[in-house]
Structures are given as structure tokens and as C-alpha cells.
């Protein structure tokens, strides 16, 4: 089970899981009609496409609001639980920009720098009961099914974190993505080929706010529960790295970088991502946030050696298109996409 958190490089992990599951003919538990399990509602196993009581699956990996008891009923008892976290300050910055047009709370913020205005006086703009407000505070805590309005010093915060420690076998860290993939490979007994990747769903650099140390401190204080969550699992991550071996890890990361560079040279026109307007094949166009086109994508080379064409295409295919390729009916997602692109 991969718990797909928001704005944490989880779309790149998803592509890896899609490819592995498809290659080995594993059984996915997919949502029905959309690309998530009716997020932000808590996950229910009845949300799984064509679910029948007692049915068992190999992979669950789409966005959800986590509920361990419900997820566990879909999987064998020895299933591995894996997730990924990101520095909560950078996650907050990313979430604020990506979702702000979908969060009415932000619409009345004036000035050029809405993020700074919010952080300077968040209680003036934030209401826990407001529509989509969870995107603006402790989003990781919310994704894992907890109350995102808890303050970091409340005793239950550490109790919830300890609970996750018992549930999840491996917690990846986005800032150390390559090291995370090596640990994933080791945990699941995979090969280097299984974890090759291209970075998906990344924003163009001009859309990223460079926060001052003062603003970073305010963002961390505002997202204090996520800060404790990240601090805890960042520490356990490096315990895993030490157990794996620093030199061994360095060697494996270098090999992963070498293999990824080879695939970029084989698959990608210009060997780098491009802005949405420059993507020639719409099947490779990633989903864009409301009212803007800030998510980068790729152009696939036209003269690819036939033996690499299929793997290149799969590695470059965004989440929505890959789900369609795997047979998921995304009529609700596509309807929202049409409305978004038509009216915003």
C-alpha cells in the first residue's frame, strides 16, 4: 500500500508503481470515476471500483484520506505500507500556490504576495470549517486522517505519529528522493530497473515563492503538527540509511543517477522538462492547477529505438492518462477538467 500524500513527489512514485504493477500483472484497487478515492472524504473500501466483500488486492496507491482499518480489509495481512513526506514549509508553499484558486479563503487576500500576507496574519484568513481549508494547514496530518487543526504541542499529536510508526514499514523523504528509492528497492526486493524515473508533476521555477527565513519560520509554526511528523520520520529515515550503509547507499544512488541519465538521453527531446504550452503530444500533458499552466511535462523523442519506445512512453505518461491506460473510467475527473479549462 502506498499512501499518496499531496505535493510530495508522490506522482513520480505512482508512475513507478503503475509500471511495476502492470509489468507483473498485479491487481490494483482503483477509484471509480475519478483519480482519487473521493478525497477529502475518509477512505471507504466501497469506493474501490467493482469492489466485492472479501476481495483482495496487490496495490492501493491513489490519493485518499487514510483509514487503516478500511485499507487493511483490501490487502493481505503481510502487505507493506509505504508513504512519502516532504519538508512542511516547502509543502505548504507548494500547496498554497497549487490550490489557492480552489480555496475561497484565499480569494480576499490582497497584494502581490498572497502567501506572505497569509503567513503574516493567518487567523485573519483561515477558518477550519471553510471549504477546502485543509489545503492551508497541516495537509500531511489531514491526509493521514487526523485533525489538521491540532497544534504541535497537543499530546495527541505525538500519539498519532507513534500510531503511524506502527502502521508504515517505510516512510520516504522527498528531499532525499534517490536515497528513498534505494530503500524502497531494498525493502521490496526490486531491481534498479524497477525504480528508474523521470520527475513528474513538477512546477516551473518562476511559480515557486522563495521564502525568507522569517517566512519559513512562520510557515513551520503554522504547520506545526506536520513539522513534528516530518521531524520524526526524517530521523527514522536516516536510521534506515545508516543500517543500509552510507558507502553502499552512495554507490547505489550514483548508479541510479547514471541509469536515469541514460533513459533521459534515450527518451526525452532535449533531455529536460518543458512548459505546458510546449508539449506537443497532449497525452503527455500533465494536469494543470485552476487558472494557470505551471506544471512542466516532456516531449518524447521521435527517433527512439523501438525496443525503448514502450518504456519511454510509460515513464513519461502523467497520472491521469496512465490511469486511463490501466482501464480506469475517469468521467468525473475529465468533467472537472473540462469545466476548469473552459471557465478559468
Amino acid at each position: 500500500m502506498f499512501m499518496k500524500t499531496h505535493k510530495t513527489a508522490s506522482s513520480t512514485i505512482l508512475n513507478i508503481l503503475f509500471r511495476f504493477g502492470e509489468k507483473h500483472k498485479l491487481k490494483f484497487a482503483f477509484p471509480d470515476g475519478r483519480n482519487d478515492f473521493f478525497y477529502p472524504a475518509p477512505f471507504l473500501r466501497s469506493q474501490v471500483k467493482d469492489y466485492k466483500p472479501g476481495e483482495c488486492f496487490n496495490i492501493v496507491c491513489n490519493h485518499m484520506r487514510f483509514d487503516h482499518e478500511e485499507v487493511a480489509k483490501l490487502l493481505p495481512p503481510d502487505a507493506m505500507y509505504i508513504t512519502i513526506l516532504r519538508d512542511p514549509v516547502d509543502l505548504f508553499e507548494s500547496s498554497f500556490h497549487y490550490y489557492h484558486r480552489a480555496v475561497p479563503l484565499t480569494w480576499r487576500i490582497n497584494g502581490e504576495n498572497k502567501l506572505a500576507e497569509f503567513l503574516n496574519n493567518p487567523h485573519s484568513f483561515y477558518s477550519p470549517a471553510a471549504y477546502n481549508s485543509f489545503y492551508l494547514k497541516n495537509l500531511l496530518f489531514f491526509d493521514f486522517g487526523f485533525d489538521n487543526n491540532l497544534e504541535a504541542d497537543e499530546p495527541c499529536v505525538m500519539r498519532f505519529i507513534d500510531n503511524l510508526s506502527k502502521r508504515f514499514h517505510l516512510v520516504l523523504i522527498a528531499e532525499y528522493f534517490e536515497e528513498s528509492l534505494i530503500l524502497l528497492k531494498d525493502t521490496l526486493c526490486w531491481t534498479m530497473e524497477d525504480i528508474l524515473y523521470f520527475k513528474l508533476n513538477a512546477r516551473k521555477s518562476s511559480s515557486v515563492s522563495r521564502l525568507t527565513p522569517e517566512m519559513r519560520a512562520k510557515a513551520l509554526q503554522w504547520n506545526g503538527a506536520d513539522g513534528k511528523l516530518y521531524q520524526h520520520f526524517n530521523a527514522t529515515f536516516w536510521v534506515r540509511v545508516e543500517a543500509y550503509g552510507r558507502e553502499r547507499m552512495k554507490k547505489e544512488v550514483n548508479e541510479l543517477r547514471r541509469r536515469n541519465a541514460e533513459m533521459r538521453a534515450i527518451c526525452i527531446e532535449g533531455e529536460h522538462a518543458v512548459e505546458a504550452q510546449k508539449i506537443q503530444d497532449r497525452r503527455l500533458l500533465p494536469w494543470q492547477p485552476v487558472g494557470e499552466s505551471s506544471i512542466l511535462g516532456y516531449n518524447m523523442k521521435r527517433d527512439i529505438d523501438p525496443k525503448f519506445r514502450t518504456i519511454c512512453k510509460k515513464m513519461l505518461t502523467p497520472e491521469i492518462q496512465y490511469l486511463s491506460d490501466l482501464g480506469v473510467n475517469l468521467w468525473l475527473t475529465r468533467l472537472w477538467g473540462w469545466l476548469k479549462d473552459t471557465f478559468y
Side-chain angles (χ1 to χ4, degrees):
M1 189 274 168
F2 175 63
M3 173 56 200
K4 188 179 190 294
T5 48
H6 284 84
K7 315 315 296 175
T8 57
S10 60
S11 293
T12 302
I13 299 288
L14 204 66
N15 183 274
I16 291 171
L17 292 172
F18 283 169
R19 286 186 279 124
F20 185 88
E22 188 179 23
K23 177 181 178 181
H24 295 280
K25 296 180 170 55
L26 301 181
K27 189 173 184 179
F28 287 91
F30 282 132
D32 192 11
R34 49 194 284 175
N35 61 304
D36 60 50
F37 288 107
F38 289 84
Y39 186 90
F43 176 74
L44 296 170
R45 62 189 183 279
S46 60
Q47 296 163 351
V48 173
K49 181 178 182 290
D50 301 326
Y51 171 74
K52 299 179 182 65
E55 195 168 9
C56 193
F57 298 86
N58 301 119
I59 300 178
V60 185
C61 58
N62 291 81
H63 274 310
M64 66 167 67
R65 190 165 187 216
F66 186 66
D67 183 310
H68 179 262
E69 288 188 8
E70 285 290 306
V71 172
K73 290 170 183 173
L74 297 172
L75 297 166
D78 61 347
M80 301 291 294
Y81 287 75
I82 295 164
T83 190
I84 185 167
L85 306 181
R86 182 184 181 186
D87 182 304
V89 174
D90 297 320
L91 186 149
F92 173 76
E93 183 277 330
S94 180
S95 177
F96 188 94
H97 281 293
Y98 191 91
Y99 296 111
H100 73 93
R101 285 187 174 88
V103 184
L105 287 171
T106 67
W107 296 353
R108 57 192 178 91
I109 302 176
N110 298 316
E112 286 292 311
N113 192 340
K114 288 193 172 191
L115 180 58
E117 288 290 326
F118 180 90
L119 287 174
N120 281 326
N121 196 3
H123 293 289
S124 296
F125 303 108
Y126 181 78
S127 170
Y131 180 71
N132 280 350
S133 65
F134 54 87
Y135 285 123
L136 300 181
K137 187 174 177 67
N138 292 316
L139 180 55
L140 288 172
F141 236 58
F142 185 86
D143 280 354
F144 284 108
F146 305 131
D147 180 359
N148 63 306
N149 293 294
L150 293 170
E151 297 302 327
D153 57 358
E154 295 187 53
C156 59
V157 168
M158 278 312 303
R159 189 166 69 249
F160 291 153
I161 293 171
D162 289 339
N163 178 270
L164 290 179
S165 294
K166 295 180 178 71
R167 302 291 189 202
F168 284 85
H169 300 88
L170 178 63
V171 178
L172 313 177
I173 300 293
E175 286 75 20
Y176 306 101
F177 193 74
E178 292 157 325
E179 291 87 349
S180 292
L181 289 182
I182 298 303
L183 291 181
L184 179 70
K185 175 174 77 74
D186 183 64
T187 300
L188 298 179
C189 300
W190 284 6
T191 67
M192 189 66 76
E193 183 180 353
D194 294 325
I195 60 169
L196 299 180
Y197 72 95
F198 300 135
K199 189 176 182 181
L200 300 179
N201 224 34
R203 281 189 296 160
K204 58 184 180 183
S205 58
S206 62
S207 71
V208 179
S209 295
R210 310 299 175 187
L211 299 180
T212 65
E214 180 188 7
M215 285 295 110
R216 291 189 68 86
K218 289 182 177 182
L220 182 58
Q221 183 178 17
W222 178 246
N223 295 279
D226 276 4
K228 276 203 168 180
L229 179 72
Y230 180 83
Q231 183 181 36
H232 175 87
F233 284 108
N234 187 43
T236 62
F237 176 84
W238 289 106
V239 171
R240 295 285 290 261
V241 172
E242 290 293 340
Y244 187 83
R246 292 271 185 167
E247 285 303 312
R248 182 184 174 203
M249 176 63 75
K250 183 178 179 181
K251 181 180 177 182
E252 288 281 278
V253 166
N254 287 337
E255 177 62 10
L256 176 59
R257 289 173 178 171
R258 185 189 70 81
R259 294 285 302 275
N260 277 335
E262 284 183 351
M263 293 306 295
R264 281 196 300 274
I266 291 169
C267 300
I268 300 174
E269 192 70 46
E271 298 186 33
H272 58 78
V274 297
E275 294 187 14
Q277 298 87 339
K278 296 180 180 179
I279 297 172
Q280 297 161 7
D281 183 351
R282 287 193 61 83
R283 280 195 44 78
L284 300 183
L285 180 66
W287 182 271
Q288 301 295 324
V290 177
E292 56 185 85
S293 297
S294 57
I295 303 301
L296 302 174
Y298 299 93
N299 286 314
M300 192 168 80
K301 282 187 173 180
R302 301 187 182 188
D303 57 346
I304 297 174
D305 185 322
K307 70 181 180 182
F308 290 110
R309 179 167 293 279
T310 297
I311 185 61
C312 286
K313 185 177 180 182
K314 291 182 186 300
M315 289 180 71
L316 293 169
T317 299
E319 174 186 347
I320 303 299
Q321 292 90 322
Y322 210 140
L323 280 168
S324 291
D325 290 345
L326 292 172
V328 182
N329 183 343
L330 297 172
W331 72 272
L332 278 170
T333 298
R334 296 195 183 284
L335 176 60
W336 165 236
W338 178 82
L339 291 169
K340 171 179 69 75
D341 295 340
T342 302
F343 297 104
Y344 295 95

